[in-house]
Amino acid sequence: MSSSGNVLPEGAGYGVVVGIGLFFSAFMLLLTAIQARYTAYSPKNSEEFSSASRSVKPGLIASGIVSAWTWAATLLQSSAVAYKYGISGPWWYGAGATIQVLLFAMLAAKLKLNAPYAHTWLEIVGVRWGKSAHLIFMFFGLATNIIVSSMLILGGSATVTDLTGMSTLAACFLIPLGVVIYVIVGGMRSTLLCDYTHTTVLFAIILTFVFTVYATSPKIGSPKRMHELLTAAAGAAPIPGNAHGSYVTMRSKDGLIFGVINIIGNFATVFQDQAYWQRAIASRPGTTVKAYLLGGLAWFAIPFTFATTLGLSAVALRGDPDMRTLSAADVSAGLPAAAAAAALMGQAGAAALLVLLFLAVTSATSAELIAVSSVLTYDVYKKYINPEATDSQLLQMGHYMVGLYGLVMALAGLIFFYIGVSMGWLYTFMGVILGSGVVPIALCITWSKANKWGCIIGSVVGFFSGLLAWLVTTGTLYAGVINVTTTGENYPMLAGNLASIGVGGIIATVTSLIWPDDFNFDITRAINNPSAANRGPGMSAIERQEEQTETEERKEEIRESEEAASPPVFNSTIAAEEQGELDPVKLEVAFRFAAWSSLGLLLVLIILIPLPLFFAQTIYDVRGLTVWIIVGLIWTFTSAFSVVLYPLWESREALRQIGRGIIKDVFAKRSGKYVPPLTSEA
């Protein structure tokens, strides 16, 4: 294979990015039209646009979590660490990024308990701690979105360019194009439906690669042959820090360091990314915890199995005439998976990976678009520019912000590309600048005694501590040479990540224990509450008192105006059921279940399984590697059932309703449109 790696013609790149992108846009537009005609939910009101009317069932939320958490890095960076560290890489990538989603189940339960009608997590910060805290944590939130979006664009464009020769500049701008179209039209529910379709195709392609590598490929074809090739590769080029330089051992010093960096960095990108709060907000209250536990466990299979397949294949096929030689820059850009797919299956493999990557990038992009749109609409426009905004104005602003952020993410990816920053570099760097906000944000949502100024100071001091530790460690270890290469090494990134999350967390926790606040979460429960006198999101206690001085006539005028523009979902029978799920006792039980479950799973995934294997220094024989692969395969099938078939089952009544409506429209023209039942307001 040529060093260029252009297995596919340039037209294939444009065909996938533009053709498939527009196809999914048209498909999502059709689904949105069907939803608006045959169900009670229409994206023509801001509540449905931003939060899917808080009515989504757990299977679809879990599918959305899997899709939103499957970045370009999930496929590319996981394979790169498998290529560098052997089988420990996929484990540390998968486990190190699963536990955050599992732990987020606790925050999701507290969100439903303490602020069930909030649109963003920043609304809660603003109401509890005021303007200064709101603006500081908005920086962390938007920085998270920009870094995540840049990784998506960088990883996607790098692979498209590598496989097809398509212009990187064109890829950066065209990848988000189709996504912007359907998110503007369909909003949050459209995003979740797109997530579901992408997740379905994603699992199908991953399983195709697994069976090709371990069952049918003439180059590998079995776990036994994979073991032979990996053993030969370790003999020719042993991995420093691995037991006997082997690829089939969990004893990997650099793999463990990567695991720590991965854990810290992903806490930042889950806890501070509105995309994950958005799914908690969109979820039905009674099943939010179930959705996050299910989604987290299902997601683990994707990087673990994919990297164990293509990442290890890239090592096993070294020296094969069809396998390109990979430089350190190629590995940092996440290209081992693309090279292995092309070597194993030729153009078919390259095309399958290209489609897989495009779907992963665009589904995560849709999550970022609707997330940032919500933040800019409710936490900037509504809070600081037009506090009296009507529903139609909020909806219009949400549309504008989706389009604006689509342009911003394309530009951000392009800027990082031209300054020489790769997806892999950004992936390990994100915890350095984002980690300090993790603990303060979690305390704000969950703990009434969290000290306002301790959490604010902790996040700011932790931010600068992370940067300082990162740069000082780089300068010390590399004789004062500070550049993209040296700052991206493991030890500087490890120091920066630990300092950021550690300093921020310690200051926030210690000050809260010494000088505890006594916050009443009834204030945040009133945010956007349709039954409360206060209808303004993001109000402080003082602002709320001022609002209560308005005349009843003015309040009634505002209420009627909003209801005219957006018939409230709260009046429906479904909404009444959801209201019953907001029982504080039930939500406290859900929180305790989330705490025990997520902490138990964390203990298993991060401590009980990998650390004994690390210290045992076991090098797996053929049987051990075979078991490892089979576990990944079983987990993948179970995950596919959970987020592909289960959502169909739980939505069977809605699918029947839509089917009946379509049949009525076909055989009795225009009689199938959904008509809401006549119910009186509660």
Side-chain angles (χ1 to χ4, degrees), residues 283-287 576-584 586-587:
S283 175
R284 291 189 62 159
T287 54
E577 295 174 1
E578 293 164 10
Q579 287 289 96
E581 295 176 6
L582 290 173
D583 179 5
K586 293 180 180 178
L587 291 175

Side-chain angles (χ1 to χ4, degrees), residues 46-47 50 54 117-120 122-128 134 374 377-384 386-390 394 523-530 533-540 543-544 547 558 562:
S46 63
E47 194 68 28
S50 66
R54 296 173 168 83
Y117 299 105
H119 295 108
T120 70
L122 285 165
E123 281 186 335
I124 306 171
V125 173
V127 167
R128 177 169 183 178
H134 185 255
S374 295
T377 298
Y378 292 101
D379 290 289
V380 178
Y381 175 73
K382 172 74 171 174
K383 187 171 180 65
Y384 296 114
N386 185 8
E388 298 297 327
T390 64
L394 293 173
I523 297 173
T524 57
R525 292 185 186 107
I527 299 174
N528 309 313
N529 191 330
N534 167 35
R535 298 189 58 86
M539 287 189 173
S540 67
E543 290 171 329
R544 184 173 298 101
E547 178 70 11
I558 294 173
E562 290 185 349

Side-chain angles (χ1 to χ4, degrees), residues 31-274:
L31 290 182
T32 300
I34 291 173
Q35 164 203 321
R37 180 166 179 81
Y38 301 114
T39 74
Y41 302 108
S42 170
K44 293 182 179 180
N45 67 76
S46 63
E47 194 68 28
E48 170 67 17
F49 182 82
S50 66
S51 61
S53 303
R54 296 173 168 83
S55 63
V56 185
K57 295 181 179 179
L60 190 57
I61 292 291
S63 181
I65 291 167
V66 169
S67 186
W69 204 210
T70 304
W71 304 347
T74 304
L75 305 174
L76 303 181
Q77 181 70 0
S78 64
S79 296
V81 294
Y83 183 84
K84 291 194 291 185
Y85 310 133
I87 63 170
S88 70
W91 181 271
W92 283 119
Y93 191 102
T98 293
I99 60 171
Q100 295 83 358
V101 178
L102 299 176
L103 291 171
F104 193 87
M106 292 191 290
L107 295 186
K110 282 293 187 180
L111 172 73
K112 292 299 187 184
L113 177 64
N114 294 334
Y117 299 105
H119 295 108
T120 70
W121 63 273
L122 285 165
E123 281 186 335
I124 306 171
V125 173
V127 167
R128 177 169 183 178
W129 287 338
K131 183 177 180 180
S132 297
H134 185 255
L135 293 174
I136 289 171
F137 285 104
M138 189 186 299
F139 162 79
F140 284 103
L142 292 178
T144 300
N145 292 121
I146 289 174
I147 289 178
V148 170
S149 301
S150 299
M151 281 192 286
L152 294 173
I153 299 300
L154 278 172
S157 61
T159 305
V160 171
T161 300
D162 181 72
L163 290 174
T164 70
M166 178 182 176
S167 165
T168 301
L169 188 151
C172 286
F173 283 94
L174 291 175
I175 286 173
L177 177 62
V179 188
V180 168
I181 295 172
Y182 69 73
V183 172
I184 285 178
V185 174
M188 185 64 194
R189 198 176 298 271
S190 175
T191 296
L192 291 171
L193 291 173
C194 176
D195 289 346
Y196 173 78
T197 58
H198 285 190
T199 300
T200 302
V201 177
L202 184 144
F203 272 107
I205 295 178
I206 288 176
L207 287 170
T208 299
F209 278 125
V210 172
F211 283 110
T212 298
V213 169
Y214 292 113
T216 64
S217 170
K219 295 180 182 293
I220 301 177
S222 69
K224 180 180 178 182
R225 179 59 177 159
M226 174 67 84
H227 190 277
E228 292 172 356
L229 293 170
L230 293 177
T231 302
I239 306 175
N242 278 30
H244 301 289
S246 175
Y247 284 90
V248 286
T249 179
M250 282 293 290
R251 172 70 179 194
S252 173
K253 182 183 69 174
D254 287 334
L256 180 61
I257 292 172
F258 168 78
V260 176
I261 295 172
N262 193 42
I263 291 168
I264 296 171
N266 284 307
F267 266 114
T269 51
V270 171
F271 283 36
Q272 295 172 181
D273 190 341
Q274 171 63 16

Side-chain angles (χ1 to χ4, degrees), residues 6 12 17 27 72 82 115 159 206 235 245 316 383 485 488 501 524 529 591 613 654:
N6 300 153
V17 172
F27 182 56
T159 305
I206 288 176
K383 187 171 180 65
T485 302
I501 197 170
T524 57
N529 191 330
F591 172 75
L613 294 176

Side-chain angles (χ1 to χ4, degrees), residues 589-644:
V589 171
F591 172 75
R592 288 195 294 271
F593 174 73
W596 285 107
S597 301
S598 58
L599 291 173
L601 289 167
L602 179 151
L603 186 66
V604 171
L605 292 173
I606 301 301
I607 305 295
L608 296 182
I609 292 179
L611 292 188
L613 294 176
F614 177 87
F615 291 112
Q617 303 193 42
T618 302
I619 297 174
Y620 293 116
D621 57 13
V622 174
R623 179 180 297 179
L625 181 62
T626 301
V627 171
W628 190 269
I629 293 166
I630 290 174
V631 168
L633 186 60
I634 292 173
W635 203 317
T636 304
F637 270 112
T638 305
S639 299
F641 287 132
S642 300
V643 296
V644 175

